[in-house]
């Protein structure tokens, strides 16, 4: 969602802030702003639009100072206008802040402040917070105390970076619900919503926990609770390189990340496959091994693409381990007072580890006594820290808003988990060996599919002008149909729907005519004959058929207008392969339509608000 960057140190703040904002832009980006303090004055610039527009304006302006904050906004309260962009100030202009999250009681606070005679320029909840802190500062005469006092009154979520004109050697950061990481340099500190904004400057970081604040001076810092209890900071080392958040020679991060999948998949299974024993070793689950053996139910939860991987996980785990699995949208699970048993295992799947609905669903499950686990990509993220145990994806930073490599790594981890749970139960060494061996071959198979990218690009050009797409799959490839449709929607703005193929005749078949492209995931497996019948139903109605099929399948080429082949693998692993052509198809269609692939409209990478 919104991105936050802050700097206090010896160097000019402006270039550091702008660079940080560029690295954060993928999170959310309908407006951007900066504030820089030179010791006596705080200069602010903010505007609707992309960071590049803000940068073009301020790079030639006068923004001296070694203390500053910057923000990219994803609108919640109020439209993306110059006025609603952050930073926001209090009534005097002394207090300047940027905010990620939602102040839920902003309307009550605003009314109280209006009664006191304060007025507001913007429609945002953030300005209310700025004015509230300003009022308390006026009364209490102490910047830090004013911030802490205000935050105790706030309901909702915040990741904050705050300056005061009266305190040119102080930057305050605070967190509840929205991530804040403090970067520790030599006589300088950075604050960010995401480590990618600061990795160029330091690898040593402290992650704030909920209701904690950091008070940063040029020569030192403290962390405490908003209730004023000191906390010994825990320093972590960042585990990724700057190059990983750069595009290299690729035109878009999304394409780079699609092409990284042979190596990111390998990283996800590295050291975790016990091929000879037909098993998997997941060190992060050791503390809960006994609970995993005893459980009678697993609930998988997540949002967006992570929810799709949970659906695939259901097929994998149920088939390998015969444990009942339920999959639920985190946003539903958190509010519907679910029936949870103490021996349930509830697993949150999340690339970012910060998605607020997933986090809240896990908290709800924990409250009800379940063991909660995380399958997460971002090391040190909130879900990773709050869960009882978990497995990291090790896919490296994912910058493209449309998730690609994180999805295939989630499927890698779910396959390993299924294998492990299966071997704890009835899965034989032989069956385990087959799956483990096939998992080890997946990276090479992904690479072979990527070699067919030019042919997929051609198909994309043929269909880029269509207004609708249908994606159909069955069994473990039904969720791939959903994911393929989601990818296309997200980045090309074409309406697309995914369905279990057999459901087509209960509704979507009415849509089929010669203008409707239908993407079938039709790999050779037990239900191949069934899906061939569905293909024939579409053909009879003159729909255009793009089939994803197993290498060597000649039969389907007689029915389909286009066939994209994927290598043969274990049937449960086919989604990892069939999803690759769908990522490429969506990508090339979006590019052909002139869409901004890495920054699709209205979307954000990490959704830290409800
Ligand atoms: C956003 C992103 C999606 C992502 C979803 C869940 O909507 O745009 O790509 O799948 O959030 O994110 P998570 O970080 O929890 O996997």
């Amino acid at each position: 969602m919104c991105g936050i960057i802050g700097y206090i140190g010896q160097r000019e703040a402006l270039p550091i802030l702008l660079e940080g904002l560029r690295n954060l832009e993928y999170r959310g980006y309908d407006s951007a702003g900066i504030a820089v303090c030179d010791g006596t004055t705080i200069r602010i610039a903010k505007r609707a639009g992309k960071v590049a527009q803000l940068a073009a304006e301020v790079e030639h302006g006068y923004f001296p100072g070694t203390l500053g904050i910057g923000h990219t906004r994803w609108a919640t309260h109020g439209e993306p206008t110059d006025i609603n962009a952050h930073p926001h100030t209090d009534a005097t202009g002394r207090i300047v802040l940027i905010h990620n999250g939602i102040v839920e009681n902003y309307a009550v606070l605003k009314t109280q402040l209006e009664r006191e005679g304060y007025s507001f320029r913007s429609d945002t909840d953030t300005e209310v917070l700025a004015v509230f802190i300003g009022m308390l500062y006026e009364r209490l005469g102490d910047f830090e105390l004013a911030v802490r006092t205000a935050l105790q009154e706030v309901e909702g979520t915040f990741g904050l970076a705050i300056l005061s004109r009266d305190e040119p050697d102080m930057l305050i950061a605070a967190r509840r619900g929205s991530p804040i990481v403090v970067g520790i340099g030599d006589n300088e500190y950075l604050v960010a919503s995401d480590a990618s904004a600061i990795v160029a400057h330091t690898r040593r970081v402290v992650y704030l926990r909920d209701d904690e604040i950091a008070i940063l001076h040029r020569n030192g810092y403290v962390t405490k609770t908003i209730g004023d209890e000191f906390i010994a900071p825990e320093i972590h080392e960042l585990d990724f390189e700057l190059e990983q958040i750069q595009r290299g020679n690729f035109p878009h991060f999304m394409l780079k990340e699609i092409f990284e999948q042979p190596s990111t998949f390998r990283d996800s299974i590295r050291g975790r496959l016990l091929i000879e024993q037909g098993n998997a070793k997941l060190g992060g689950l050791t503390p809960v091994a006994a609970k995993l053996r005893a459980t009678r139910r697993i609930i998988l939860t997540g949002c967006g693409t992570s929810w799709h991987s949970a659906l695939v996980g259901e097929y994998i785990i149920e088939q390998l381990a015969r444990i009942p699995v339920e999959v639920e949208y985190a946003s539903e699970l958190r509010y519907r007072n679910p029936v949870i048993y103490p021996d349930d295992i509830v697993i949150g799947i999340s690339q970012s580890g910060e998605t607020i609905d997933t986090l809240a669903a896990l908290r709800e499950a924990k409250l009800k006594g379940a063991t909660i686990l995380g399958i997460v990509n971002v090391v040190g993220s909130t879900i990773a820290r709050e869960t009882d145990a978990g497995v990291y994806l090790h896919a490296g930073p994912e910058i493209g808003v449309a998730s690609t490599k994180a999805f295939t790594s989630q499927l890698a981890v779910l396959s390993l988990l299924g294998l492990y749970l299966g071997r704890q139960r009835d899965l034989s060494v032989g069956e385990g060996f087959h799956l483990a061996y096939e998992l080890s071959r997946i990276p090479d198979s992904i690479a072979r599919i990527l070699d067919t990218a030019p042919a997929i690009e051609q198909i994309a050009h043929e269909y880029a002008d269509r207004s609708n797409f249908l994606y159909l799959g069955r069994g473990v490839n039904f969720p791939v149909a959903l994911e393929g449709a989601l990818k296309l929607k997200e980045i090309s703005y074409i309406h697309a729907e995914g369905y279990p193929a057999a459901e087509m005749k209960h509704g979507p078949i009415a849509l089929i005519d010669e203008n409707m492209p239908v993407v079938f995931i039709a790999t050779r497996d037990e239900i191949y004959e069934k899906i061939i019948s569905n293909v024939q139903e579409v053909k009879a109605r003159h729909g255009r058929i793009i089939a994803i099929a197993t290498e060597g399948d000649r039969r389907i080429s007689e029915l389909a207008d286009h066939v994209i082949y994927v290598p043969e693998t274990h049937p449960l692993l086919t989604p990892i392969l069939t999803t690759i052509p769908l990522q490429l198809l969506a990508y090339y269609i979006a590019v052909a339509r002139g869409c901004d692939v890495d920054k699709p409209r209205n979307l954000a990478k990490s959704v830290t608000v409800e």
Side-chain angles (χ1 to χ4, degrees), residues 295-300 317 323-326 344-345 347 421:
T295 189
R296 283 175 296 168
R297 182 172 72 153
I298 291 176
I299 299 174
L300 300 176
I317 296 170
I323 305 169
V325 176
E326 285 176 29
D344 280 344
I345 303 282
I347 307 181
L421 294 169

Side-chain angles (χ1 to χ4, degrees), residues 1 302-307 349-356 358 375 378 383 398 400-404 406 410 483 486-487 490 600 603-607:
M1 212 103 286
C303 307
T305 291
S306 296
W307 182 74
I349 305 178
S350 174
Q351 188 287 126
S352 61
E354 301 294 349
T355 303
I356 196 80
T358 309
I375 295 179
V378 178
I383 292 176
E398 189 180 67
V401 167
S403 184
T404 53
Q410 286 166 346
E483 175 61 9
L486 179 67
K487 285 286 89 70
E490 283 178 315
L603 295 180
K605 181 70 184 159
S606 175
V607 180

Side-chain angles (χ1 to χ4, degrees), residues 42-74:
I42 299 181
R43 294 178 177 83
I44 297 175
K46 54 185 193 169
R47 54 154 36 252
K50 303 239 153 110
V51 171
Q53 287 164 266
L54 174 80
E57 196 171 293
V58 298
E59 262 160 354
H60 305 293
Y62 184 63
F63 292 89
T66 54
L67 167 64
I69 51 181
H71 190 260
T72 57
R73 176 168 185 255
W74 187 87

Side-chain angles (χ1 to χ4, degrees), residues 221-417:
Y221 74 106
V222 291
T223 50
K224 42 168 90 167
T225 65
I226 60 174
D228 204 20
E229 284 164 44
F230 283 93
I231 295 164
E234 227 178 89
I235 297 178
H236 298 259
E237 282 282 320
L238 292 178
D239 70 343
F240 62 93
E241 302 298 329
L242 187 57
E243 299 80 69
Q244 286 180 268
I245 57 160
Q246 290 170 341
R247 233 178 335 105
N249 292 328
F250 285 91
H252 295 101
F253 278 109
M254 183 177 175
L255 193 64
K256 175 183 176 231
E257 287 159 5
I258 290 173
F259 273 83
E260 272 173 5
Q261 289 175 107
S263 66
T264 51
F265 192 93
R266 200 171 275 121
D267 290 343
S268 298
I269 59 171
R270 177 168 293 125
R272 291 169 164 177
L273 266 185
L274 305 171
I275 297 185
E276 296 304 321
Q277 297 161 45
N279 206 342
K281 187 177 74 187
L282 294 163
L285 298 184
T286 310
V288 293
K291 286 185 171 160
L292 287 171
R293 188 173 289 113
T295 189
R296 283 175 296 168
R297 182 172 72 153
I298 291 176
I299 299 174
L300 300 176
T301 192
C303 307
T305 291
S306 296
W307 182 74
H308 292 157
S309 71
L311 289 176
V312 178
E314 177 180 16
Y315 285 88
I316 295 175
I317 296 170
E318 288 202 342
Q319 196 159 320
L320 295 177
R322 311 303 299 160
I323 305 169
V325 176
E326 285 176 29
V327 177
E328 189 148 346
Y329 282 118
S331 54
E332 293 297 317
L333 185 62
R334 66 179 289 195
Y335 282 120
R336 70 173 182 83
N337 195 18
V339 179
I340 305 268
Y341 303 109
D343 61 354
D344 280 344
I345 303 282
V346 180
I347 307 181
I349 305 178
S350 174
Q351 188 287 126
S352 61
E354 301 294 349
T355 303
I356 196 80
D357 283 327
T358 309
L359 179 61
L362 289 170
R363 285 177 178 161
E364 184 68 21
K366 191 172 178 75
L367 184 75
K368 291 178 158 39
T371 299
I372 58 166
L373 308 182
I375 295 179
V376 166
N377 193 32
V378 178
V379 175
S381 56
T382 310
I383 292 176
R385 285 183 289 125
E386 283 200 15
T387 39
D388 299 312
V391 186
Y392 279 121
L393 301 183
H394 297 311
E398 189 180 67
I399 308 289
V401 167
S403 184
T404 53
K405 64 176 183 172
F407 181 66
T408 45
S409 286
Q410 286 166 346
L411 299 189
V413 168
L414 287 162
S415 305
L416 293 167
L417 180 63

Side-chain angles (χ1 to χ4, degrees), residues 560-574:
D561 296 282
H562 310 273
V563 184
I564 304 166
Y565 287 108
V566 298
E568 190 158 12
T569 182
H570 188 293
L572 286 175
L573 304 181
T574 52

